[in-house]
Amino acid sequence: MKIAVCIKRVPDQDVRFKIAPDGKSIDQTGLKHDMSDFDGYAAEVAIQITEKAGAGEVTVVSIGSDAVQETLRKALSMGAHKAVQLKHDAEVHDGSAIAAALAAELKDRGYDLILTGRMAVDTQNRSVGALLAAKLGLPFVGAVSQLDTSSGSVKARRELEGAYELVECPLPAVVSIDEGITRARYPSLKGIMAAKKKPMEVRPAQLGEQHYVLESLALPAERTAGRIVGEGPDAVPELVRLLKEEAKVL
Amino acid sequence: MSNVFAFAETRLGKLRRGGIEAVTAARQVADQVDGHVHAMLAGPAGIGEHAAVLARHGADVVLVLEHDGFANYNPEALAATIAARVGSGYRAAFFAASAQGHDLVARTAGVMGLSYASDVTSFAFGGDAATVTHPGYTNKVIQTFRLSATPALISLRGGAVLPVESAKAGAVEAVSSAVDPGSVRVKVTKTEATGGAKLDLGEAPVIVSGGRGLKEAANFKLVEDLAAAFGNAAVGATRAVTDDGWRPHSDQIGQTGRLVSPDLYIACGISGAIQHLAGMRTSKTIVAINKDKDAPIFKVADYGIVGDVLQVLPVLTEAVKKAKGG
Ligand SMILES: Cc1cc2nc3c(=O)[nH]c(=O)nc-3n(C[C@H](O)[C@H](O)[C@H](O)COP(=O)(O)OP(=O)(O)OC[C@H]3O[C@@H](n4cnc5c(N)ncnc54)[C@H](O)[C@@H]3O)c2cc1C
Ligand SMILES: Nc1ncnc2c1ncn2[C@@H]1O[C@H](COP(=O)(O)O)[C@@H](O)[C@H]1O
């Protein structure tokens, strides 16, 4: 199978973010970057499919500045075969514009399966997968926690709130990947060495029109630490009193 | 005058709270632009019975699409039908920011070739653009966007608007699918509840959540008992627990799981890793029970009990039952 995986480079999320003086971007000081969590799972799913089949090819694609080459290189060291950077230096938030650039790259290249993450963990837009499928005229299955393509079509499971659904569609298709499916592997030393020789193409991103534009960023009010009510089961009556009288949630 | 559309989400024949919230949001915008609210119900024969509830929450017209091809979620047929409808003169269309709503708003935008806004927590309409906020960076940053596409397609995070009832008696209009519901490419073959808690995480005002401190899967019974004592609670879990298979992944709260903001969140045997906090730190009141007084969860908790969760939970459950008068 010929598989493409769309990967976004995002800042690691386990930090306290600061807003830059322009009021509309994140202060980059000290931030580390990696592929968005779900994109890592998607790359892993794709690599496992080709490993299991002993055939096929995984191409990873990312829109962004030259920094995304590092992220693409990591996917190559996990086991992807080829990488494409769609160069664009400014941040873009419009999912339709991003999908247009990805579609321009992915159309007519014979991909059987195109994977994205369920959402980018930085902007949490959750839009690119479905919009990309629409632009390519392909069926889309979103946010899957299980994926089976062994019968030549897509059989997937989606987690709903307190429920799940099973979905089927023919290939080629666009599928977005959710939690629960797999974890991204750590690149091996051998993988890292091999990745150095794998092809990395660079083309300009042909973004579509933008109708969803970031105006400003703000930090939500900090949570202040509360108090320890007490120790062990003896503290329960006081907790219940507080929930009733102070928090008024009981 | 332009109308505002709301998709009234149902699952297995039941109307979901997100559907009512979508109608509420549509009402707010319609009042502003002097338009009507058109709410759509789609499902098998009988789904139209929910029309009265939607009318009471502000729908002027309830569009009822009844067909057995909609017994399960039928994403392609629904997106085609909604796109055909809202393409003509609608100012906005609201969906719930649920698993189904996220999927459907994106597909509808795809069919229409439009940009859209997802997981919106507040919105304002002015001129030909909408200004919306939605949280990003694992809910640690509030992003404000300008959406200049018409109609403005929006999925709304649970709790972003408060449903209000009015004395409206909306008209009901039968509509049909824009495409043959059977000749779609993407087919949902089965929908099944995963059991356990009756309320789901997105809708419950109270969430009782368990972590590795519960020691084993069987002890989640204590978490379920407390949830049951509240009567309006759902059960959540950490990734440590869902990875070990104690709970389904759909129960996971956090960076890569569900993002929730209930009135009350009770964290039982949860350390409070940053990836977990990302999913629940916007809860109104947080209670933590942990045997380690230095656990990071206490830094965000309003009230903490330092102790063995296995001993505290049964006592708390009894106390809550009593407080609830049962
Ligand atoms: C990329 C990435 C994404 C992630 N996404 C998520 C996510 O979405 N959601 C999520 O939850 N995690 C996520 N994680 C995992 C996260 O980092 C933590 O590992 C996880 O949240 C820990 O779960 P826990 O609190 O149940 O377990 P632990 O961290 O092991 O904590 C158990 C706690 O229980 C307490 N305890 C033990 N015994 C008792 C007892 N008898 N009584 C009371 N307290 C007791 C301990 O003091 C401890 O604080 C992610 C991690 C990564 C790397
Ligand atoms: N700049 C980008 N480059 C490549 N893929 C992207 C980019 N932005 C988003 N995607 C893909 O689209 C998915 C959903 O992103 P979003 O709709 O922005 O939440 C991500 O998980 C990626 O797979």
Side-chain angles (χ1 to χ4, degrees):
Chain A
M1 261 216 283
K2 211 175 153 187
I3 309 175
V5 184
C6 303
I7 290 182
K8 185 176 186 189
R9 176 181 167 89
V10 301
D12 283 351
Q13 298 294 304
D14 48 358
V15 297
R16 203 178 273 254
F17 289 104
K18 285 197 223 93
I19 314 266
D22 68 359
K24 52 186 342 185
S25 58
I26 298 287
D27 180 348
Q28 296 291 319
T29 319
L31 295 185
K32 290 202 284 280
H33 292 77
D34 199 347
M35 57 186 90
S36 178
D37 302 23
F38 300 102
D39 302 354
Y41 309 161
E44 179 67 36
V45 165
I47 292 163
Q48 283 181 16
I49 290 174
T50 54
E51 281 176 349
K52 224 174 256 164
E57 185 181 88
V58 177
T59 303
V60 288
V61 183
S62 185
I63 304 171
S65 69
D66 290 345
V68 305
Q69 288 189 14
E70 181 199 17
T71 313
L72 289 169
R73 197 65 76 186
K74 178 175 174 191
L76 293 176
S77 63
M78 286 168 64
H81 303 87
K82 290 179 175 175
V84 180
Q85 175 199 358
L86 299 176
K87 191 171 161 65
H88 185 82
D89 287 332
E91 256 201 276
V92 186
H93 297 93
D94 187 315
S96 188
I98 294 168
L102 291 171
E105 169 61 28
L106 299 174
K107 72 165 188 258
D108 303 331
R109 281 203 158 88
Y111 290 109
D112 304 294
L113 180 64
I114 295 171
L115 299 180
T116 73
R118 183 193 81 185
M119 69 171 187
V121 297
D122 57 350
T123 53
Q124 298 177 196
N125 274 341
R126 304 176 163 84
S127 62
V128 169
L131 296 175
L132 172 60
K135 290 196 196 294
L136 292 168
L138 294 178
F140 171 70
V141 183
V144 311
S145 60
Q146 287 174 20
L147 176 64
D148 177 6
T149 54
S150 59
S151 56
S153 63
V154 169
K155 291 193 171 65
R157 171 177 160 131
R158 281 166 39 78
E159 304 302 324
L160 313 175
E161 302 82 7
Y164 70 93
E165 62 190 17
L166 302 182
V167 193
E168 297 183 2
C169 81
L171 287 172
V174 179
V175 174
S176 84
I177 300 295
D178 194 3
E179 180 72 5
I181 199 161
T182 186
R183 296 270 176 261
R185 72 185 66 181
Y186 293 102
S188 64
L189 191 59
K190 199 165 140 240
I192 293 169
M193 296 312 290
K196 293 188 173 150
K197 294 192 211 80
K198 291 179 179 174
M200 168 97 58
E201 292 174 26
V202 182
R203 287 187 267 283
Q206 299 171 34
L207 294 166
E209 265 183 70
Q210 297 184 41
H211 293 279
Y212 192 55
V213 179
L214 184 70
E215 293 214 307
S216 62
L217 297 178
L219 298 178
E222 279 284 332
R223 259 206 116 83
T224 45
R227 61 191 122 131
I228 301 289
V229 175
E231 285 188 22
D234 294 346
V236 166
E238 176 63 0
L239 173 65
V240 169
R241 187 190 70 78
L242 289 165
L243 291 179
K244 239 184 180 158
E245 292 170 16
E246 200 175 83
K248 300 193 175 20
V249 286
L250 195 72
Chain B
M1 185 190 98
S2 51
N3 295 327
V4 184
F5 178 91
F7 181 71
E9 180 169 327
T10 57
R11 187 198 296 154
L12 299 171
K14 282 224 184 87
L15 183 63
R16 292 168 49 75
R17 187 170 104 173
I20 293 178
E21 292 179 350
V23 172
T24 305
R27 182 76 259 161
Q28 289 178 8
V29 178
D31 286 345
Q32 202 185 324
V33 300
D34 193 24
H36 288 148
V37 173
H38 294 180
M40 180 184 270
L41 273 170
I47 202 73
E49 69 170 331
H50 301 299
V53 182
L54 300 180
R56 258 201 330 273
H57 287 89
D60 298 294
V61 181
V62 181
L63 309 168
V64 178
L65 172 54
E66 287 193 347
H67 190 292
D68 285 348
F70 291 90
N72 283 311
Y73 174 48
N74 190 331
E76 291 188 325
L78 270 178
T81 306
I82 296 170
R85 182 98 203 174
V86 302
S88 56
Y90 282 76
R91 180 65 192 90
F94 286 93
F95 303 74
S98 58
Q100 191 185 101
H102 277 310
D103 192 74
L104 188 55
V105 68
R107 287 175 190 274
T108 305
V111 173
M112 302 183 76
L114 292 179
S115 313
Y116 77 98
S118 87
D119 204 25
V120 163
T121 45
S122 75
F123 54 87
F125 282 72
D128 55 4
T131 303
V132 300
T133 60
H134 92 78
Y137 297 85
T138 39
N139 285 353
K140 287 184 282 196
V141 176
I142 301 165
Q143 311 171 102
T144 302
F145 292 98
R146 184 170 188 275
L147 175 61
S148 58
T150 307
L153 303 174
I154 290 174
S155 69
L156 201 64
R157 187 179 279 209
V161 295
L162 281 182
V164 274
E165 296 209 16
S166 66
K168 268 208 154 52
V172 171
E173 182 187 325
V175 294
S176 51
S177 179
V179 299
D180 173 3
S183 69
V184 289
R185 299 169 300 181
V186 177
K187 293 192 168 121
V188 175
T189 56
K190 181 177 186 176
T191 311
E192 190 172 64
T194 34
K198 286 171 199 62
L199 276 172
D200 77 47
L201 292 169
E203 303 196 335
V206 178
I207 292 176
V208 187
S209 206
R212 193 142 45 193
L214 282 157
K215 298 283 189 278
E216 54 180 298
N219 290 334
F220 252 83
K221 171 90 170 51
L222 301 176
V223 174
E224 280 177 350
D225 288 348
L226 178 56
F230 274 100
N232 57 352
V235 172
T238 62
R239 172 153 132 178
V241 159
T242 58
D243 270 359
D244 284 352
W246 298 2
R247 302 291 298 183
H249 273 285
S250 49
D251 284 1
Q252 181 184 318
I253 289 166
Q255 175 174 330
T256 50
R258 301 287 302 279
L259 309 173
V260 299
S261 286
D263 295 336
L264 176 60
Y265 188 93
I266 306 183
C268 311
I270 291 176
S271 60
I274 191 114
Q275 295 91 350
H276 186 77
L277 300 184
M280 45 63 77
R281 70 186 319 145
T282 52
S283 305
K284 280 182 205 84
T285 300
I286 297 174
V287 171
I289 306 164
N290 195 303
K291 70 171 185 194
D292 171 9
K293 70 171 175 25
D294 295 322
I297 190 74
F298 287 126
K299 295 220 166 64
V300 300
D302 300 282
Y303 308 115
I305 292 184
V306 179
D308 184 343
V309 70
L310 303 178
Q311 289 173 14
V312 174
L313 275 177
V315 179
L316 181 55
T317 299
E318 284 313 309
V320 169
K321 271 191 201 154
K322 226 173 171 181
K324 287 264 175 184

